[in-house]
Amino acid sequence: MNVTVSGQADMPTLNDDIAVIVALDPGTHLTDASRRLAGHHGPRLNLRLHDVWFDSGRHVLPTDEHLDLVDAFLTTHQPAHLHVSCLAGVSRSAALALFALARAHPGLSDREVVQRLLEVRPPCFPNPLIVGLVDRRLGRHLSAALREAFSEADPPWPPA
């Protein structure tokens, strides 16, 4: 599966053969920059969750139920190309793209999955809570591979 990632402001034109997952805060709407999704009539999953990795009591945390929805969407549509988008294209979308890549390519090492994500979306910082959920679900160690990949970064992954 080919996976691409964007934010709302840099969303490419998407043909109807591309499956799309959009992760936005509950209660928000697509921005004017992403109106091109209105013309997309292919498979689309809208997820409503905040970009947080700790429970503040005020946010919709990413959960296993969100991964269940993604898993069912990917199983149903079996896309050759998946595009994942969130507000900035950095955290939620990157973590969900990591899930899709790891799920689609179980033979790749954790480092290889992370490398594929970083090739697709170099300026990313996958949501640590989602990545932790993915690790538990798939029996992977993507969190460790991300810590290694970001070991020289400032701030490091995951943030303190």
Side-chain angles (χ1 to χ4, degrees), residues 5-7 10 88-90 93-94 116-125:
V5 179
S6 78
D10 65 334
V90 174
S93 58
R116 282 200 181 186
L117 174 67
L118 295 176
E119 289 168 1
V120 169
R121 190 67 172 178
C124 72
F125 205 76

Side-chain angles (χ1 to χ4, degrees), residues 24-115:
L24 293 174
D25 289 350
T28 62
H29 301 284
L30 295 173
T31 63
D32 289 339
S34 66
R35 294 287 183 221
R36 62 191 66 163
L37 269 180
H40 177 264
H41 301 292
R44 182 166 110 196
L45 172 64
N46 292 323
L47 295 175
R48 298 298 180 166
L49 63 153
H50 288 106
D51 186 20
V52 294
W53 49 88
F54 54 89
D55 190 1
S56 70
R58 299 176 304 163
H59 296 97
V60 176
L61 291 172
T63 64
D64 280 318
E65 288 77 23
H66 292 108
L67 292 186
D68 290 343
L69 292 170
V70 172
D71 197 39
F73 178 79
L74 295 174
T75 298
T76 299
H77 299 289
Q78 299 180 5
H81 185 167
L82 173 68
H83 184 79
V84 189
S85 181
C86 63
L87 183 62
V90 174
S91 183
R92 289 171 287 189
S93 58
L96 293 168
L98 196 67
F99 175 47
L101 286 166
R103 184 186 173 280
H105 303 286
L108 292 178
S109 72
D110 298 325
R111 278 185 185 176
E112 290 169 320
V113 173
V114 166
Q115 187 57 41

